[in-house]
Every structure is written in C-alpha cells, then in structure tokens.
Amino acid sequence: MSKEKLLEVKNLKQHFKTGRKSVVKAIDGITFDIYKGETFGLVGESGCGKSTTGRTIIRLYDATDGNVKFNGEDVHGKKSASDLKKFNQKMQMIFQDPYASLNPRMTVMDIIAEGLDVHGLTKSADERKRRVEGLLERVGLNKEHANRYPHEFSGGQRQRIGIARALAVDPEFIIADEPISALDVSIQAQVVNLLKELQKEQGLTYLFIAHDLSMVKYISDRIGVMYFGKLVELADSDELYKNPVHPYTKSLLSAIPLPDPDYERNRQRVAYDPSQHDTSEEPELREISPDHWVLCTTKEFEAYKQEHNDN
Ligand SMILES: Nc1ncnc2c1ncn2[C@@H]1O[C@H](COP(=O)(O)OP(=O)(O)O)[C@@H](O)[C@H]1O
Ligand SMILES: [Mg+2]
C-alpha cells in the first residue's frame, strides 16, 4: 500500500432539507483520505450517514459544504461534460441490495455492458460480448450466464454481477456500500475474498461500507468509525481492534460475536452513552498515536491518552 492519496475528503457536509424548517445533518463535517491501493472501511450503525458519504463522494448528490478531491482534482464544482464522464469511469459503486440494484428486464449481458456502451469502450458487438464473458469469468460466473436475467441468480451471484458491472469500465476506485449485508453468512466471505483478489490483480482502491465491525477487519487496511454524521475514530484496522479509544468504537467491538464458546459466555455488550461526553468544548479529531485519530475534547484527550498508553 502506498501513501499516495487517491481520495481526499475535507470537512464534507450533507444536510438534507426535510421540511420547511427541518434539516437532517446526514454528514456533518467529515475529513479523511484514502490511499492508492488500500481498502478504507467505513463503519457505523444504520442511519449514521455511510451511504450518504459514498453517494456524495461519487456525486450522486452535491455536497452542502466541504470538498472531495480525486487524484488531486476537485470532484465537485464545475466540470465539463467530458471531465465528468472521465470521472464517472474512474469511480464505481457496488450496492447493498443485489435484488434492487439490477434491472430485472435486462439481460446480464446488457447490465454488465452498460458502462462499456456509455463510455464507448468496445468497437463491435463481438468485442462487447467477449468483454462481458471475460468479466463474468473474472467474478466466478460463467459466460453462459450472459443471456439470463437477474431473477435466475442467487443473492451471491447477483452481487457478483454487480461487481462485474462495476469492473467493466476499468475503474480505479470502487465504493462498496454494504455489499455483503444482504447475503447469507456462508456467502459473505466468498464475496469479500473475490473483492480482495480483484484488488490484488488490478490495484483497485476500495471504500468498503459496513454497519458492524465483524467482516471489515478482514478486508480493511484502515477503518473510520462514524456516529451520527461524524467520524469519531480513525486508525489502522489492527490498531482499532487492539486499542479502541472512543466509547462508541468500544461498543461496536463488544457486539462482534466470536466462534469461541468461552468468550461468548462472558462477552459483555458495552452500551454507548453519548451523554457521558465532556461538553465543555466542541470535540475535534485528535491524533492519539501515529495515524490513530479520535474525536474528543481536550479533557477527554488527556484521559484517552492515559488509557491508550497503559495498553
Ligand atoms: N435523500 C435523503 N433525504 C433526506 N434524508 C436522507 C436522505 N438520504 C438519507 N437521509 C437521512 O440521512 C441519514 C443518514 O442516512 P444514510 O446515509 O442512508 O445512513 P446509513 O447508510 O449509515 O444507514 C438518515 O437519517 C437518513 O434518514
Ligand atoms: Mg446505508
């Protein structure tokens, strides 16, 4: 993994107007970078703003504030049609629900080839067919599947089709928004392994979104923990698992079941109580050890540091 930045998210905000006077602050000022070739895991419970983060990065929404840079270039702001097209090719998304995200009236061939068509990446029908067949094989399906429709496939197979669709345009960066949450546990590891293999083969960079910490550890180099539109902790994944600092991260970690009966018998779910925070000032992301950041006040930082050093 390099230390070269592919994506830079700075003070990003997404506030949705939901009524004349009501606003949902789905993302409320988050800052993080993603390095070339790494997997950055974004974790937090349902409704904390993960999908909105992914969708804002990929420009499905305009940002309320802040900015996103991709390869050093501003993603938001004015862009020419050809710049936008180029950008759309470099960044792709895989969705949570492999049932809803594939058009039931299109063949697998047409679903996967859509991006090839939009970007004019094939010169003939024959080349288009060969490209799609190659992609199907690359994701563990076979070329005979090309003429079938999505309903003929299982959840795991559909997610493979979604992955093939994302790969078709040869992207650099893929946002995978809970790509395994809707799948049977037995299938989840297969899809994660496929994503990892593809990453190795093609040098892809991932933003991998999940609502719990169980699978993310295996795929992520670094992890950001989100709570109510804010990033509360950010660290290398080993460090985050070994030395979690923010009480919300600790609570998420305590929820992971392990296949060890002794551990399970004694496992204590730690509840997170946000009212326990120091409110003497606005919390900020502070670096508690190299590349390990936690959202806290000055006073909390002193206490967290003490605890972190004791570990
Ligand atoms: N288009 C939208 N309009 C209004 N509110 C939205 C919209 N999209 C998401 N939200 C709200 O923003 C918050 C974060 O949603 P989301 O990003 O989907 O969370 P997550 O993916 O972590 O479950 C939620 O309160 C959700 O209801
Ligand atoms: Mg979501």
Side-chain angles (χ1 to χ4, degrees):
M1 196 182 83
S2 71
K3 280 278 173 184
E4 207 183 324
K5 290 171 187 175
L6 181 65
L7 193 84
E8 296 161 74
V9 175
K10 216 170 243 138
N11 193 31
L12 194 66
K13 293 187 183 171
Q14 189 58 265
H15 295 178
F16 294 113
K17 267 212 174 70
T18 50
R20 226 156 43 91
K21 284 189 179 155
S22 50
V23 167
V24 175
K25 296 182 175 178
I27 332 176
D28 202 21
I30 58 174
T31 297
F32 62 93
D33 298 326
I34 301 184
Y35 301 118
K36 283 191 178 160
E38 81 166 335
T39 298
F40 184 91
L42 189 61
V43 176
E45 68 203 57
S46 180
C48 73
K50 305 178 299 294
S51 294
T52 304
T53 302
R55 291 184 187 139
T56 306
I57 289 172
I58 205 168
R59 284 186 57 122
L60 287 172
Y61 304 135
D62 284 326
T64 306
D65 199 6
N67 72 67
V68 177
K69 280 187 179 159
F70 184 70
N71 271 323
E73 270 182 67
D74 256 322
V75 165
H76 292 265
K78 271 207 159 39
K79 285 191 118 48
S80 68
S82 75
D83 279 352
L84 271 182
K85 213 167 159 184
K86 215 169 64 195
F87 170 76
N88 288 339
Q89 188 184 334
K90 294 284 164 219
M91 220 187 252
Q92 290 288 309
M93 197 147 174
I94 299 169
F95 298 92
Q96 173 171 3
D97 185 345
Y99 294 87
S101 60
L102 304 177
N103 186 334
R105 286 179 202 84
M106 283 166 73
T107 61
V108 166
M109 169 85 78
D110 290 339
I111 289 171
I112 295 175
E114 213 171 12
L116 295 173
D117 299 343
V118 168
H119 294 283
L121 298 177
T122 55
K123 290 186 191 69
S124 65
D126 191 48
E127 188 189 349
R128 183 179 187 263
K129 181 164 172 276
R130 273 187 285 114
R131 284 282 282 271
V132 170
E133 289 174 351
L135 285 158
L136 281 170
E137 283 172 351
R138 210 144 95 227
V139 298
L141 295 169
N142 59 61
K143 54 187 185 190
E144 285 72 39
H145 288 140
N147 296 318
R148 299 202 193 153
Y149 289 86
H151 74 264
E152 299 175 59
F153 296 89
S154 68
Q157 289 174 318
R158 287 183 208 207
Q159 204 51 297
R160 289 173 192 267
I161 296 168
I163 293 169
R165 172 175 60 185
L167 288 179
V169 296
D170 203 14
E172 270 183 84
F173 179 56
I174 294 182
I175 299 175
D177 188 359
E178 301 207 37
I180 57 169
S181 299
L183 305 178
D184 286 348
V185 176
S186 58
I187 308 295
Q188 290 183 351
Q190 294 174 16
V191 172
V192 164
N193 289 336
L194 172 65
L195 288 169
K196 283 180 113 164
E197 273 165 39
L198 293 166
Q199 179 171 48
K200 229 172 39 204
E201 277 168 33
Q202 295 183 234
L204 291 162
T205 304
Y206 292 140
L207 171 60
F208 189 96
I209 296 174
H211 62 264
D212 66 44
L213 276 163
S214 54
M215 219 16 136
V216 192
K217 178 182 163 87
Y218 299 102
I219 190 163
S220 306
D221 299 290
R222 291 186 305 134
I223 294 176
V225 178
M226 231 177 142
Y227 182 78
F228 264 108
K230 300 222 196 272
L231 217 49
V232 297
E233 190 158 359
L234 179 65
D236 282 351
S237 66
D238 282 344
E239 165 74 4
L240 191 87
Y241 278 79
K242 280 189 204 126
N243 298 314
V245 173
H246 196 280
Y248 179 62
T249 310
K250 290 183 176 175
S251 152
L252 277 184
L253 280 168
S254 75
I256 304 178
L258 288 183
D260 171 352
D262 287 334
Y263 171 85
E264 276 306 302
R265 215 169 297 120
N266 300 313
R267 179 160 66 96
Q268 301 260 330
R269 195 65 231 257
V270 184
Y272 174 50
D273 180 0
S275 73
Q276 296 300 304
H277 281 289
D278 171 36
T279 53
S280 61
E281 59 174 354
E282 276 294 304
E284 275 175 37
L285 262 191
R286 294 167 206 265
E287 194 171 24
I288 196 151
S289 61
D291 300 320
H292 185 168
W293 298 79
V294 59
L295 187 74
C296 57
T297 62
T298 321
K299 210 167 119 195
E300 287 173 330
F301 189 54
E302 291 313 315
Y304 291 164
K305 251 199 331 219
Q306 191 72 49
E307 189 192 318
H308 189 264
N309 292 343
D310 290 345
N311 281 340

